[in-house]
Every structure is written in C-alpha cells, then in structure tokens.
Amino acid sequence: MKQALNVLGQPLVPCSYDPLTGWFRDGCCHTDERDTGSHVICARMTVGFLNFQMERGNDLITPRPEFRFPGLKPGDRWCVCALRWREAYEAGCAPPVVLESTHQRALDYVLMDWLRRASGAPAASA
C-alpha cells in the first residue's frame, strides 16, 4: 500500500491510539473508497464541537462498543468527517486540527488556510 500523505505533503502521522481512532481503527486518519464520511481530519475535541455535533444528531459522546467507538471527551484526538468539521468551521466552532495527522484528502473538502487557522500554524505566505 502506498504511504499516505498529510496536508503538508509529508507522511501521515498517527492521530491517536487512546482513544483508538481512524476509519480502520489504526490510530491514523487513513481512508479508502468505503469511507463515505471521509474521516480524514485529526481534531482535538472541544466541548463546543461535541455539543454542536450532538445538536445535529451526531452523538460523539456516548460510547458505542459495537462500532468500537469509546465516546469522546474534550481533549481527545479523533479523525472526524471532513464535512462535519467544515460545518463546524463555518459555524465558528471547529475544533483544533493536527496538520501532521490530517490526511491530504481533507483538501477535497476544506481549504488549507482553514486548517492552518484551526491548527494555530502561521498562514502561508503569498
């Protein structure tokens, strides 16, 4: 399998092993054609994001062991769906992003400038 790249064009770095995240539950935001939600953005959970998702029917708090989902709390890193993150960004409550652990496929859904802002990294020079 070809080495996955992050949004910086470098090898993808693991997002979290505790809780164990990723479409493949391998700790990384890897993806494939079966990942219709594009779980490619490594984000650090916040109360605001978790509540925003709950209000939209996406409960990320309640454990779902049958899906190997532990339930999330603020501070956890998790590979989130790109369009869910975008929705939160547009509403002003996107969680911080870990660029090194965010799959390059995220750029199919969000702007790199948005990801940089959410990571706290300096904006790219023009």
Side-chain angles (χ1 to χ4, degrees):
M1 183 161 100
K2 185 178 171 189
Q3 170 70 48
L5 299 178
N6 62 31
V7 294
L8 302 172
Q10 301 165 346
L12 189 64
V13 172
C15 179
S16 175
Y17 293 115
D18 185 21
L20 185 59
T21 191
W23 173 247
F24 296 103
R25 293 297 190 264
D26 62 357
C28 292
C29 297
H30 291 124
T31 189
D32 67 11
E33 67 281 349
R34 294 173 296 142
D35 180 11
T36 57
S38 293
H39 297 78
V40 293
I41 297 179
C42 180
R44 197 168 36 260
M45 297 297 97
T46 62
V47 169
F49 179 74
L50 292 170
N51 288 340
F52 182 77
Q53 291 303 304
M54 181 74 83
E55 290 168 4
R56 279 151 186 73
N58 185 26
D59 180 0
L60 297 175
I61 299 168
T62 304
R64 301 286 306 269
E66 66 273 24
F67 299 116
R68 295 175 33 200
F69 180 70
L72 302 175
K73 62 186 180 316
D76 286 344
R77 285 185 177 189
W78 194 252
C79 296
V80 299
C81 295
L83 290 176
R84 294 284 188 167
W85 187 89
R86 179 182 178 148
E87 177 184 45
Y89 183 86
E90 291 173 342
C93 62
V97 170
V98 181
L99 296 175
E100 297 80 10
S101 302
T102 296
H103 195 285
Q104 67 182 357
R105 178 83 51 88
L107 299 175
D108 292 346
Y109 304 94
V110 299
L111 298 175
M112 183 63 185
D113 189 49
W114 295 1
L115 294 171
R116 282 190 188 281
R117 281 189 214 142
S119 75
S125 54

